[in-house]
Amino acid sequence: MDGSDIGFWGVPLAMLAGAIRVSTPFIFVSLGECLTERSGRINLGLEGTLMMGAMSAYGTALLSGSPWLGVLVAAGVGLMLGTLHAVLCQLPKVNDIATGIGLMLFGTGLAFFLGKPYIQPKAPNLGALDLGGWSSIPQVQQALQVNPLFIFGILLAFALAWALKNTRWGLIVRLAGESVDAALAIGASVARVRLLATAVGGAFAGIGGAFLSLYYPGSWNEGLSSGQGLMAVALVIFARWDPIRCLWASLLFGAAGAISPALQSVGVTQGYYLFSAAPYVLTLALMIATCSPARSVRGAPGELGAVK
Amino acid sequence: MTAAPSLELIGFTKRFGAMAALDDVTVKIKAGAFHALLGENGAGKSTLVKCAMGYYAADQGQILLNDHEVEIAHPRQAHELGLGMVYQHFTLVPNMTVLENFVLSRGDLPAVIDWAAERRALKSFFETTPFTVPIDTPVADLAAGQKQKGEILRQLYLKRNLLILDEPTSVLTPDEADEVLTTLKKLTNDGKITIVTITHKFREVNTYCDAVTVLRRGQLIGTRPTSELDNDMMAEMMVGRRETRTVVEREARAPGKAVLKLEGLSVADNVGQLAVEDLKLDIRAGEIVGIAGVSGNGQRELVEALAGQRDAEAGRMLVHGEVYTATRPEMVRHRIACLPEEPLRNACVADMSVAENIALRSFDQPPSSSTGVWLKRGPMRETARKLIEAYKVKTPGPDAAIRGLSGGNVQRAVLARELSSEGDLLIVANPCFGLDFAAVAEIRARIFQARNRGAAVLLVSEDLDEILQLSDRIVVMFDGKLALETDAASADVGAIGRAMAGH
């Protein structure tokens, strides 16, 4: 064995690599949505935030030469879009689902418009850490090239889970999401808590966008996200609003997304597009399996209107 | 814990629009008292305590706490002064554990919470209380009685020394109520807390309260020591002099054939667990079968299955010997009438008119529609007008939205719709919840008339008095199963109470 032909073992290996590579935007967007929804608000606009994050990160990296500055700018743009959503939702008679869809279209449209000049040029990449140096198999080495943002995402999931359980802020966010009356009774400002949670959630999604344009696939174009922001929202329901389960679900989605290229690499070309649809089919299947008109989803924040 | 305070509410007036909910009401509550607020629905009891707690701003009124004037404009000010309230509904957050709920409501949290220390502190606090609840269980998983105990324990944990209880025992079994109230009584006797309780139950007033204040239509009728009062006097203070409730004669009649048969019925609740398990029950023509039980033991799911709002997991329902799946044609064929609880939510379209709501069963049949395609507004309105008159529904007119009607009138409108077809089977759930004396008597009389006419009636109620008054046969539901079945004539109230508590 010369270390380059590993036959069908390439499929699970490529799925592992995919889980590591493709899952990062899912992790960030779902954690952002998780935080937002735990505070009692839905932000469907994170798809738009993801695109704006990707575009602004790419543009910043191109102009400044620093991809990490791009990540920072993407987070800032996400923060602003999240704040915009939160402020709009606080106006009387404004529905957060409708606002979210509006901001999703606004974000993607604005990203396409502002991003036109960045489609051709090549911006500097975020780079990766080689964690596969111990192996002599090139596929393994390649699979274990890990971007620092992936590691940051994992840490963020655990940090968020810890904070929601153990900090004053985390508990007040949950209280705002579970019962407005109870939050008011201890003098917490529900509006302020939701504003901050939605804004920070938007910042997370922005970072996810930066990963898309600056690492994988690593360029800016209009088909970059292909609905990942929306899938991440569905994923939060599947993960029952738990950051750690969001992490596992993101990895699962990442692996599903890698099925198609993995099969192609070992010579299975039939049904390429069918397998490309795996993440979408998975989303649909999970939603059907976990949602029912007769039962409410256990663990759903009490104030979250759309899942009642 | 500081000593129990005295509380004086002086000259409270509160208007909602043109209606005076409170009119110059003055109440003095002694330190360490167990003080009852008595009155019918709408008498102003809740308004009074909500003004005292700072939920409503009173138009006029002065509060003296320990003989010092205090200003309470917001519930938090009331909390800081040591006033706490336990509501009829639960306020503990379902998706959080008991520990999280307790610690959070303290409001003075450090940035990072030391759960180990908090758990120790709560455990040692629970060693000083006569009853406890599981610390690490999410509140959603607690039974109703435990939740109410948790609500009261939380007030004690927050060191509130003046508790206002709004019908605290409505969700408890008699035994649980006694346990909770005995404890609170002991705390007042020790001079640790003062309690104001809103209640309808004379038994609790007689057993636990030192003094009673009676309100009627926003007016103060009087405050008297309990020792000077008996039930008749309290009832008279509450309702004034008016004709007593209509009691319909129970026509002696042998029950007929079984109209409804439940054969091993199982129904799941909202989270997929079986709320009704393997239920077997027959309801015969001309009898009222009362299902007693504390709420949350599967009654709601049973009624929803019978009304077609929920699918059965296993077993089957038979009406007149035919399998019944709660479809509209079956309900028409078997003449099934249903009066679910919270009729505005479960049996009405809130934004449609009274006439349209009354027509919901028959809008596609003559005379409202001759073909089933086009509706005729005229006859529909005419039918509604007749029923509104016959059932004394107070509404601005048949075209008013049913949402605007009071609870009792929504109930009457739905009853008019359901009983107008002279059904063979009547399913009723908590028909008198939240209604006043007069409405209660009338609605019970209508149900009784249906029974005397020969209809089979399934009555689900959390009000044991209602079950005892109306039923021919009583079954008790506990944890989704039948815990007891007895003839009403020979019923042992103690045994029913024990079955409701699962003993």
Side-chain angles (χ1 to χ4, degrees):
Chain A
M1 191 164 157
D2 63 357
S4 61
D5 181 21
I6 54 173
F8 270 89
W9 279 109
V11 176
L13 189 64
M15 284 174 69
L16 172 71
I20 291 172
R21 213 175 321 118
V22 184
S23 65
T24 310
F26 284 126
I27 296 175
F28 279 97
V29 179
S30 64
L31 290 180
E33 186 65 23
C34 183
L35 177 62
T36 309
E37 291 194 10
R38 286 302 280 266
S39 81
R41 171 162 294 144
I42 289 179
N43 186 358
L44 289 180
L46 288 188
E47 168 79 10
T49 312
L50 190 74
M51 287 304 278
M52 275 301 285
M55 188 280 297
S56 58
Y58 200 77
T60 308
L62 191 70
L63 299 176
S64 72
S66 161
W68 288 103
L69 188 66
V71 174
L72 211 62
V73 168
V77 168
L79 193 77
M80 285 194 294
L81 282 172
T83 309
L84 179 63
H85 178 67
V87 169
L88 287 177
C89 288
Q90 273 162 30
L91 300 174
K93 293 191 178 177
V94 169
N95 174 288
D96 49 0
I97 306 278
T99 311
I101 292 174
L103 280 179
M104 174 172 83
L105 298 172
F106 170 74
T108 36
L110 193 66
F112 292 174
F113 175 70
L114 297 176
K116 281 271 183 273
Y118 307 133
I119 290 181
Q120 276 304 322
K122 183 74 191 123
N125 196 293
L126 278 174
L129 307 171
D130 283 316
L131 299 184
W134 48 269
S135 171
S136 59
I137 305 170
Q139 282 92 336
V140 173
Q141 287 174 2
Q142 203 193 348
L144 290 179
Q145 279 189 342
V146 176
N147 183 273
L149 278 182
F150 175 68
I151 296 167
F152 177 54
I154 293 175
L155 295 178
L156 187 64
F158 284 97
L160 188 60
W162 179 82
L164 283 173
K165 188 158 173 47
N166 292 298
T167 67
R168 179 177 68 215
W169 264 104
L171 283 177
I172 288 177
V173 165
R174 282 168 61 195
L175 197 59
E178 296 290 350
S179 162
V180 170
D181 286 341
L184 293 178
I186 65 158
S189 161
V190 173
R192 203 167 60 117
V193 169
R194 290 189 181 161
L195 177 87
L196 288 173
T198 312
V200 173
F204 289 177
I207 297 175
F211 180 92
L212 280 179
S213 62
L214 292 178
Y215 183 71
Y216 182 84
S219 65
W220 163 250
N221 66 69
E222 295 179 352
L224 191 60
S225 119
S226 52
Q228 290 182 41
L230 272 179
M231 280 191 274
V233 173
L235 194 148
V236 174
I237 300 174
F238 167 61
R240 305 269 173 89
W241 296 270
D242 177 47
I244 306 295
R245 280 199 290 252
C246 280
L247 176 63
W248 295 126
S250 299
L251 291 171
L252 181 69
F253 271 58
I259 288 179
S260 165
L263 285 175
Q264 198 183 27
S265 71
V266 294
V268 179
T269 49
Q270 232 166 8
Y272 174 77
Y273 290 102
L274 198 63
F275 286 113
S276 297
Y280 307 97
V281 174
L282 189 63
T283 309
L284 207 57
L286 288 178
M287 294 311 282
I288 291 169
T290 52
C291 295
S292 144
R295 296 191 305 269
S296 50
V297 185
R298 201 173 163 80
E303 293 284 337
L304 215 55
V307 292
K308 260 181 192 167
Chain B
M1 201 180 273
T2 51
S6 67
L7 178 74
E8 266 181 86
L9 306 171
I10 302 168
F12 266 79
T13 299
K14 172 73 185 170
R15 298 184 165 277
F16 293 108
M19 190 194 71
L22 283 179
D23 186 6
D24 193 24
V25 172
T26 298
V27 183
K28 181 170 169 38
I29 295 142
K30 290 184 192 142
F34 203 127
H35 196 110
L37 268 185
L38 210 57
E40 286 188 79
N41 293 108
K45 302 163 306 216
S46 290
T47 311
L48 180 66
V49 296
K50 280 181 178 163
C51 286
M53 286 297 295
Y55 285 97
Y56 292 152
D59 299 331
Q60 272 172 38
Q62 197 187 1
I63 303 174
L64 297 187
L65 191 67
N66 281 330
D67 300 324
H68 293 290
E69 183 170 356
V70 291
E71 199 196 335
I72 300 177
H74 191 275
R76 289 186 76 199
Q77 283 175 307
H79 294 160
E80 280 159 16
L81 292 166
L83 273 62
M85 186 150 169
V86 175
Y87 299 87
Q88 245 173 312
H89 60 267
F90 299 118
T91 60
L92 291 173
V93 175
N95 273 336
M96 291 188 177
T97 66
V98 171
L99 178 65
E100 285 174 332
N101 266 291
F102 276 43
V103 170
L104 246 178
S105 54
R106 218 171 51 204
D108 60 340
L109 301 179
V112 176
I113 293 147
D114 181 355
W115 284 119
E118 296 292 355
R119 181 174 288 113
R120 273 197 305 276
L122 188 59
K123 268 193 179 142
S124 59
F125 169 73
F126 276 175
E127 278 163 19
T128 68
T129 58
F131 51 82
T132 61
V133 287
I135 288 183
D136 290 310
T137 310
V139 170
D141 294 340
L142 295 179
Q146 281 182 314
K147 280 184 198 164
Q148 190 64 301
K149 286 181 190 172
E151 300 275 350
I152 291 168
L153 284 172
R154 179 168 64 163
Q155 296 296 326
L156 300 177
Y157 170 81
L158 295 172
K159 300 197 169 36
R160 308 261 163 87
N161 51 20
L162 194 149
L163 293 193
I164 298 172
L165 314 175
D166 190 354
E167 299 196 28
T169 57
S170 55
V171 289
L172 304 182
T173 64
D175 283 351
E176 281 174 328
D178 281 334
E179 187 187 354
V180 169
L181 292 173
T182 307
T183 312
L184 293 175
K185 179 73 181 167
K186 188 167 178 313
L187 291 172
T188 59
N189 284 343
D190 295 348
K192 286 180 178 160
I193 57 173
T194 306
I195 289 178
V196 182
T197 179
I198 295 177
T199 181
H200 288 138
K201 297 179 184 167
F202 288 171
R203 186 185 74 85
E204 291 171 5
V205 174
N206 290 328
T207 318
Y208 299 103
C209 297
D210 316 311
V212 186
T213 294
V214 181
L215 299 180
R216 191 197 310 157
R217 292 186 192 132
Q219 308 265 351
L220 175 72
I221 301 302
T223 300
R224 305 268 287 277
T226 318
S227 52
E228 292 177 10
L229 293 169
D230 59 26
N231 285 354
D232 291 344
M233 291 160 78
M234 281 195 285
E236 199 190 308
M237 285 173 82
M238 241 170 91
V239 300
R241 289 194 182 279
R242 69 169 80 159
E243 60 181 292
T244 47
R245 55 168 79 173
T246 9
V247 180
V248 178
E249 285 293 313
R250 184 183 296 269
E251 279 175 27
R253 54 179 303 155
K257 283 199 296 188
V259 177
L260 174 69
K261 262 176 152 0
L262 303 179
E263 293 185 344
L265 187 71
S266 293
V267 187
D269 66 8
N270 282 344
V271 288
Q273 278 156 348
L274 281 190
V276 177
E277 251 183 283
D278 197 22
L279 196 67
K280 293 184 188 69
L281 189 63
D282 287 1
I283 320 267
R284 290 166 293 185
E287 70 166 354
I288 298 180
V289 175
I291 296 195
V294 178
S295 62
N297 278 297
Q299 301 98 313
R300 170 187 298 238
E301 286 78 8
L302 172 64
V303 171
E304 286 179 350
L306 287 166
Q309 290 174 293
R310 193 178 283 275
D311 291 329
E313 298 287 309
R316 54 183 197 162
M317 306 182 273
L318 299 177
V319 178
H320 293 316
E322 292 172 41
V323 172
Y324 165 72
T325 53
T327 61
R328 193 159 182 264
E330 283 173 343
M331 286 186 171
V332 173
R333 193 168 73 239
H334 295 304
R335 304 205 298 175
I336 296 170
C338 191
L339 186 69
E341 60 185 355
E342 294 180 66
L344 191 62
R345 199 169 68 86
N346 282 314
C348 294
V349 184
D351 287 320
M352 282 190 174
S353 73
V354 175
E356 285 166 333
N357 272 290
I358 285 180
L360 281 184
R361 288 265 185 216
S362 59
F363 65 90
D364 55 353
Q365 287 149 13
S368 293
S369 170
S370 45
T371 54
V373 178
W374 303 107
L375 303 186
K376 293 184 193 158
R377 291 271 161 187
M380 197 189 279
R381 203 175 283 127
E382 203 40 53
T383 313
R385 198 168 281 137
K386 277 184 203 143
L387 287 172
I388 286 170
E389 207 183 298
Y391 284 80
K392 300 193 194 77
V393 184
K394 278 196 203 104
T395 165
D399 295 324
I402 201 162
R403 183 192 287 285
L405 271 53
S406 75
N409 285 305
V410 173
Q411 195 75 293
R412 284 196 190 96
V414 175
L415 204 61
R417 173 180 84 206
E418 297 297 323
L419 291 183
S420 60
S421 62
E422 303 249 306
D424 292 345
L425 173 62
L426 177 60
I427 296 151
V428 197
N430 292 315
C432 300
F433 186 78
L435 303 187
D436 62 32
F437 256 40
V440 166
E442 191 192 318
I443 283 168
R444 287 184 185 163
R446 298 274 185 194
I447 294 170
F448 225 90
Q449 281 163 7
R451 175 246 182 218
N452 284 349
R453 201 186 65 223
V457 181
L458 176 67
L459 168 71
V460 176
S461 178
E462 287 155 27
D463 180 351
L464 191 53
D465 291 331
E466 181 168 71
I467 297 270
L468 290 169
Q469 191 193 351
L470 295 181
S471 309
D472 297 290
R473 205 146 54 87
I474 298 174
V475 297
V476 178
M477 240 174 126
F478 180 79
D479 207 13
K481 301 182 194 79
L482 291 191
L484 183 79
E485 186 166 352
T486 172
D487 261 357
S490 59
D492 169 11
V493 179
I496 292 174
R498 285 193 295 278
M500 284 167 69
H503 294 303

